[in-house]
Amino acid sequence: MLLPQVAGPIGVFDSGYGGLTILRELRALMPQYDYLYLGDNARAPYGTRSFDVVCRYTRQAVVTLFERGCHLVVLACNTASAKALRTIQQNDLPHLDPRRRVLGVIRPTAEVVGSLTRSRHVGILATTGTIISQSYDMEISKLHPDIVVIGQDCPMWVPLVENFEFDSPGADFFVKKRIDMLLQHDPAIDTIILGCTHYPLLLPKIRQFTPESVTIVSQGEYVAQSLRTYFINHPEMEARITGGGTLHCLTTESTDKFNSTAVHFLGHNIEAESIVLS
Ligand code: DGL
């Protein structure tokens, strides 16, 4: 495969709209770069899909972003980071282009949690796929072996966000139910990681149903700080990122639907381009 070698934008990928919460933080911290966002909205959610399917879909997205000039792609999706990141890094990058990079969102989040919890009991709220993969448990135990990690899946939360029901009264039931389940499982939890990039949209409701003493960790700012550090440590990659401050969005859904929803995540209008992934 012949990939463009000239500098290009930072690629940001998610199954749908959730990755826009990461993109927003990346642009807030590093507004100077160009960004290319890809939301596989037509095939979201990924959280209930099998390992093989998430790997295949994510690989298609990464290749598309590479073909469009990205040298670095952030999987702004915990499900894709949990199920596809390692396979792509180990099996695909050597063939596609060993100089390109794909980074995930789980490691930067696992790194910071050690300095946030005092009780050393941490809860993870995420999709079923991320919880079953135990990616957070493994990353956190590597970095902070004394921390007890309790995972709770929230299968209804992504559909609530994707269907724009995140601030509706109907969302209260599903949000409260899963937080209660997590805290009943381990009342010593003092820190909860939102391990899905869609969940920051539910943050006001999550906060409402979580005791004030519990810290809620939204990933975006930590992922952004981690990428900035990555560029400091890897100036050769930073040199391959274009610096125009632009954002272009790709979606596998209709552009009308994407544009009207994305504005609520980004805080400004966007004209997306519709593509087919295969
Ligand atoms: N936003 C994604 C995540 O962080 C994926 C949600 C989904 O498609 O199920 O896990």
Short mmCIF file of all heavy atoms in Angstrom, two decimals, residues 105-142:
data_model
loop_
_atom_site.label_atom_id
_atom_site.label_comp_id
_atom_site.label_asym_id
_atom_site.label_seq_id
_atom_site.Cartn_x
_atom_site.Cartn_y
_atom_site.Cartn_z
N VAL A 105 -6.41 5.33 24.47
CA VAL A 105 -6.79 6.23 25.57
C VAL A 105 -6.73 5.56 26.95
O VAL A 105 -6.91 6.24 27.96
CB VAL A 105 -8.22 6.81 25.35
CG1 VAL A 105 -8.22 7.80 24.21
CG2 VAL A 105 -9.24 5.71 25.10
N ILE A 106 -6.49 4.26 26.98
CA ILE A 106 -6.54 3.57 28.28
C ILE A 106 -5.27 3.82 29.10
O ILE A 106 -5.33 4.14 30.28
CB ILE A 106 -6.80 2.06 28.07
CG1 ILE A 106 -8.22 1.89 27.50
CG2 ILE A 106 -6.63 1.27 29.38
CD1 ILE A 106 -8.62 0.48 27.19
N ARG A 107 -4.12 3.72 28.44
CA ARG A 107 -2.85 3.91 29.16
C ARG A 107 -2.76 5.29 29.84
O ARG A 107 -2.47 5.37 31.04
CB ARG A 107 -1.70 3.69 28.17
CG ARG A 107 -0.33 3.94 28.70
CD ARG A 107 0.20 2.73 29.43
NE ARG A 107 1.45 3.03 30.10
CZ ARG A 107 2.28 2.12 30.59
NH1 ARG A 107 2.00 0.85 30.48
NH2 ARG A 107 3.38 2.47 31.19
N PRO A 108 -3.03 6.40 29.11
CA PRO A 108 -2.92 7.71 29.78
C PRO A 108 -3.86 7.85 30.97
O PRO A 108 -3.54 8.51 31.95
CB PRO A 108 -3.30 8.73 28.69
CG PRO A 108 -3.28 7.99 27.40
CD PRO A 108 -3.36 6.52 27.69
N THR A 109 -5.02 7.19 30.88
CA THR A 109 -5.99 7.27 31.99
C THR A 109 -5.50 6.45 33.17
O THR A 109 -5.59 6.87 34.33
CB THR A 109 -7.36 6.78 31.52
OG1 THR A 109 -7.66 7.36 30.25
CG2 THR A 109 -8.46 7.15 32.50
N ALA A 110 -4.97 5.26 32.87
CA ALA A 110 -4.46 4.39 33.94
C ALA A 110 -3.29 5.07 34.66
O ALA A 110 -3.12 4.92 35.87
CB ALA A 110 -4.02 3.05 33.35
N GLU A 111 -2.49 5.83 33.92
CA GLU A 111 -1.33 6.49 34.53
C GLU A 111 -1.75 7.48 35.63
O GLU A 111 -1.16 7.51 36.69
CB GLU A 111 -0.51 7.23 33.46
CG GLU A 111 0.46 6.31 32.74
CD GLU A 111 1.08 6.93 31.51
OE1 GLU A 111 0.87 8.14 31.24
OE2 GLU A 111 1.77 6.19 30.79
N VAL A 112 -2.79 8.28 35.36
CA VAL A 112 -3.11 9.36 36.31
C VAL A 112 -3.86 8.88 37.54
O VAL A 112 -3.84 9.54 38.57
CB VAL A 112 -3.95 10.50 35.67
CG1 VAL A 112 -3.20 11.14 34.55
CG2 VAL A 112 -5.31 10.04 35.24
N VAL A 113 -4.52 7.73 37.44
CA VAL A 113 -5.43 7.35 38.51
C VAL A 113 -4.70 7.13 39.84
O VAL A 113 -5.26 7.38 40.92
CB VAL A 113 -6.28 6.13 38.07
CG1 VAL A 113 -5.54 4.82 38.24
CG2 VAL A 113 -7.59 6.11 38.78
N GLY A 114 -3.42 6.74 39.77
CA GLY A 114 -2.64 6.51 40.98
C GLY A 114 -2.54 7.73 41.87
O GLY A 114 -2.47 7.62 43.10
N SER A 115 -2.54 8.92 41.25
CA SER A 115 -2.41 10.14 42.05
C SER A 115 -3.78 10.70 42.47
O SER A 115 -3.85 11.69 43.19
CB SER A 115 -1.64 11.20 41.26
OG SER A 115 -2.34 11.47 40.06
N LEU A 116 -4.86 10.06 42.03
CA LEU A 116 -6.19 10.59 42.35
C LEU A 116 -6.90 9.84 43.48
O LEU A 116 -7.67 10.42 44.22
CB LEU A 116 -7.08 10.56 41.09
CG LEU A 116 -6.60 11.39 39.91
CD1 LEU A 116 -7.50 11.18 38.70
CD2 LEU A 116 -6.58 12.88 40.26
N THR A 117 -6.64 8.54 43.59
CA THR A 117 -7.35 7.75 44.61
C THR A 117 -6.58 7.71 45.92
O THR A 117 -5.36 7.54 45.93
CB THR A 117 -7.62 6.30 44.12
OG1 THR A 117 -8.14 5.54 45.20
CG2 THR A 117 -6.37 5.62 43.57
N ARG A 118 -7.32 7.88 47.02
CA ARG A 118 -6.72 7.72 48.35
C ARG A 118 -7.07 6.34 48.93
O ARG A 118 -6.27 5.69 49.54
CB ARG A 118 -7.20 8.83 49.28
CG ARG A 118 -6.56 10.18 49.00
CD ARG A 118 -7.15 11.28 49.88
NE ARG A 118 -8.61 11.30 49.85
CZ ARG A 118 -9.33 11.82 48.85
NH1 ARG A 118 -8.73 12.37 47.82
NH2 ARG A 118 -10.65 11.80 48.89
N SER A 119 -8.31 5.91 48.69
CA SER A 119 -8.72 4.61 49.24
C SER A 119 -8.08 3.44 48.49
O SER A 119 -8.09 2.31 48.98
CB SER A 119 -10.25 4.48 49.16
OG SER A 119 -10.66 4.29 47.82
N ARG A 120 -7.53 3.72 47.29
CA ARG A 120 -6.91 2.72 46.41
C ARG A 120 -7.96 1.73 45.90
O ARG A 120 -7.65 0.61 45.53
CB ARG A 120 -5.73 1.97 47.06
CG ARG A 120 -4.71 2.85 47.76
CD ARG A 120 -4.23 4.00 46.93
NE ARG A 120 -3.11 3.69 46.04
CZ ARG A 120 -2.64 4.56 45.15
NH1 ARG A 120 -3.18 5.78 45.04
NH2 ARG A 120 -1.65 4.23 44.36
N HIS A 121 -9.23 2.15 45.87
CA HIS A 121 -10.30 1.37 45.25
C HIS A 121 -10.88 2.23 44.12
O HIS A 121 -11.42 3.31 44.38
CB HIS A 121 -11.40 1.02 46.26
CG HIS A 121 -10.99 -0.02 47.26
ND1 HIS A 121 -11.65 -1.23 47.40
CD2 HIS A 121 -9.96 -0.04 48.15
CE1 HIS A 121 -11.05 -1.95 48.34
NE2 HIS A 121 -10.02 -1.24 48.81
N VAL A 122 -10.73 1.75 42.90
CA VAL A 122 -11.13 2.54 41.73
C VAL A 122 -12.20 1.80 40.94
O VAL A 122 -12.08 0.60 40.69
CB VAL A 122 -9.88 2.80 40.84
CG1 VAL A 122 -10.28 3.40 39.50
CG2 VAL A 122 -8.91 3.73 41.55
N GLY A 123 -13.24 2.53 40.55
CA GLY A 123 -14.31 1.95 39.73
C GLY A 123 -14.15 2.36 38.27
O GLY A 123 -13.71 3.48 37.98
N ILE A 124 -14.48 1.43 37.37
CA ILE A 124 -14.45 1.75 35.93
C ILE A 124 -15.87 1.59 35.40
O ILE A 124 -16.47 0.52 35.56
CB ILE A 124 -13.57 0.74 35.13
CG1 ILE A 124 -12.22 0.49 35.82
CG2 ILE A 124 -13.40 1.20 33.68
CD1 ILE A 124 -11.27 1.63 35.82
N LEU A 125 -16.39 2.61 34.77
CA LEU A 125 -17.66 2.51 34.06
C LEU A 125 -17.32 2.51 32.58
O LEU A 125 -16.62 3.41 32.09
CB LEU A 125 -18.56 3.70 34.40
CG LEU A 125 -19.00 3.81 35.87
CD1 LEU A 125 -19.70 5.14 36.12
CD2 LEU A 125 -19.92 2.65 36.25
N ALA A 126 -17.77 1.51 31.84
CA ALA A 126 -17.37 1.39 30.43
C ALA A 126 -18.34 0.49 29.68
O ALA A 126 -19.30 -0.03 30.27
CB ALA A 126 -15.94 0.83 30.34
N THR A 127 -18.07 0.31 28.41
CA THR A 127 -18.92 -0.60 27.63
C THR A 127 -18.65 -2.04 28.05
O THR A 127 -17.61 -2.34 28.66
CB THR A 127 -18.61 -0.48 26.12
OG1 THR A 127 -17.27 -0.91 25.89
CG2 THR A 127 -18.78 0.94 25.63
N THR A 128 -19.55 -2.92 27.67
CA THR A 128 -19.38 -4.33 28.02
C THR A 128 -18.07 -4.86 27.44
O THR A 128 -17.33 -5.59 28.11
CB THR A 128 -20.58 -5.14 27.47
OG1 THR A 128 -21.78 -4.51 27.95
CG2 THR A 128 -20.54 -6.59 27.93
N GLY A 129 -17.74 -4.46 26.22
CA GLY A 129 -16.52 -4.94 25.58
C GLY A 129 -15.28 -4.52 26.35
O GLY A 129 -14.36 -5.33 26.55
N THR A 130 -15.24 -3.28 26.79
CA THR A 130 -14.07 -2.79 27.53
C THR A 130 -13.96 -3.50 28.88
O THR A 130 -12.87 -3.90 29.29
CB THR A 130 -14.16 -1.26 27.73
OG1 THR A 130 -14.19 -0.64 26.44
CG2 THR A 130 -12.97 -0.72 28.51
N ILE A 131 -15.09 -3.68 29.56
CA ILE A 131 -15.05 -4.35 30.87
C ILE A 131 -14.59 -5.80 30.71
O ILE A 131 -13.69 -6.25 31.42
CB ILE A 131 -16.44 -4.29 31.56
CG1 ILE A 131 -16.81 -2.82 31.88
CG2 ILE A 131 -16.45 -5.16 32.83
CD1 ILE A 131 -15.90 -2.10 32.84
N ILE A 132 -15.15 -6.52 29.73
CA ILE A 132 -14.78 -7.93 29.55
C ILE A 132 -13.30 -8.06 29.18
O ILE A 132 -12.62 -8.99 29.60
CB ILE A 132 -15.67 -8.58 28.47
CG1 ILE A 132 -17.08 -8.77 29.02
CG2 ILE A 132 -15.10 -9.93 28.01
CD1 ILE A 132 -18.07 -9.31 28.01
N SER A 133 -12.78 -7.10 28.43
CA SER A 133 -11.36 -7.17 28.02
C SER A 133 -10.41 -7.05 29.20
O SER A 133 -9.25 -7.44 29.11
CB SER A 133 -11.04 -6.05 27.02
OG SER A 133 -10.91 -4.81 27.70
N GLN A 134 -10.89 -6.47 30.32
CA GLN A 134 -10.07 -6.23 31.53
C GLN A 134 -8.84 -5.38 31.24
O GLN A 134 -7.83 -5.46 31.96
CB GLN A 134 -9.66 -7.57 32.15
CG GLN A 134 -10.86 -8.37 32.62
CD GLN A 134 -10.52 -9.39 33.68
OE1 GLN A 134 -9.55 -10.10 33.55
NE2 GLN A 134 -11.32 -9.45 34.72
N SER A 135 -8.92 -4.57 30.20
CA SER A 135 -7.76 -3.74 29.83
C SER A 135 -7.39 -2.75 30.94
O SER A 135 -6.21 -2.52 31.20
CB SER A 135 -8.06 -2.96 28.55
OG SER A 135 -8.30 -3.87 27.52
N TYR A 136 -8.40 -2.14 31.55
CA TYR A 136 -8.10 -1.21 32.64
C TYR A 136 -7.46 -1.93 33.82
O TYR A 136 -6.49 -1.44 34.40
CB TYR A 136 -9.37 -0.46 33.09
CG TYR A 136 -9.60 0.79 32.28
CD1 TYR A 136 -10.51 0.80 31.23
CD2 TYR A 136 -8.87 1.95 32.54
CE1 TYR A 136 -10.69 1.94 30.46
CE2 TYR A 136 -9.06 3.10 31.78
CZ TYR A 136 -9.97 3.08 30.75
OH TYR A 136 -10.14 4.22 29.99
N ASP A 137 -8.03 -3.10 34.18
CA ASP A 137 -7.47 -3.86 35.30
C ASP A 137 -5.99 -4.14 35.04
O ASP A 137 -5.15 -3.98 35.93
CB ASP A 137 -8.21 -5.20 35.47
CG ASP A 137 -9.72 -5.04 35.43
OD1 ASP A 137 -10.25 -4.42 34.47
OD2 ASP A 137 -10.37 -5.50 36.36
N MET A 138 -5.68 -4.56 33.82
CA MET A 138 -4.29 -4.94 33.50
C MET A 138 -3.37 -3.73 33.50
O MET A 138 -2.29 -3.75 34.09
CB MET A 138 -4.24 -5.66 32.16
CG MET A 138 -4.87 -7.06 32.23
SD MET A 138 -4.68 -8.02 30.74
CE MET A 138 -5.88 -7.34 29.64
N GLU A 139 -3.80 -2.65 32.85
CA GLU A 139 -2.95 -1.44 32.79
C GLU A 139 -2.72 -0.87 34.17
O GLU A 139 -1.61 -0.49 34.53
CB GLU A 139 -3.57 -0.37 31.89
CG GLU A 139 -3.46 -0.61 30.40
CD GLU A 139 -2.01 -0.67 29.89
OE1 GLU A 139 -1.11 -0.09 30.52
OE2 GLU A 139 -1.80 -1.34 28.86
N ILE A 140 -3.80 -0.79 34.97
CA ILE A 140 -3.67 -0.19 36.31
C ILE A 140 -2.80 -1.08 37.19
O ILE A 140 -1.94 -0.58 37.93
CB ILE A 140 -5.05 0.09 36.94
CG1 ILE A 140 -5.76 1.21 36.15
CG2 ILE A 140 -4.92 0.49 38.41
CD1 ILE A 140 -7.19 1.51 36.56
N SER A 141 -2.98 -2.39 37.09
CA SER A 141 -2.17 -3.24 38.00
C SER A 141 -0.69 -3.22 37.62
O SER A 141 0.17 -3.40 38.46
CB SER A 141 -2.73 -4.66 38.09
OG SER A 141 -2.34 -5.38 36.96
N LYS A 142 -0.39 -2.99 36.33
CA LYS A 142 1.02 -2.85 35.94
C LYS A 142 1.64 -1.60 36.57
O LYS A 142 2.77 -1.62 37.06
CB LYS A 142 1.12 -2.69 34.41
CG LYS A 142 1.38 -3.99 33.66
CD LYS A 142 1.66 -3.69 32.20
CE LYS A 142 0.50 -4.08 31.33
NZ LYS A 142 0.45 -3.48 30.02
#
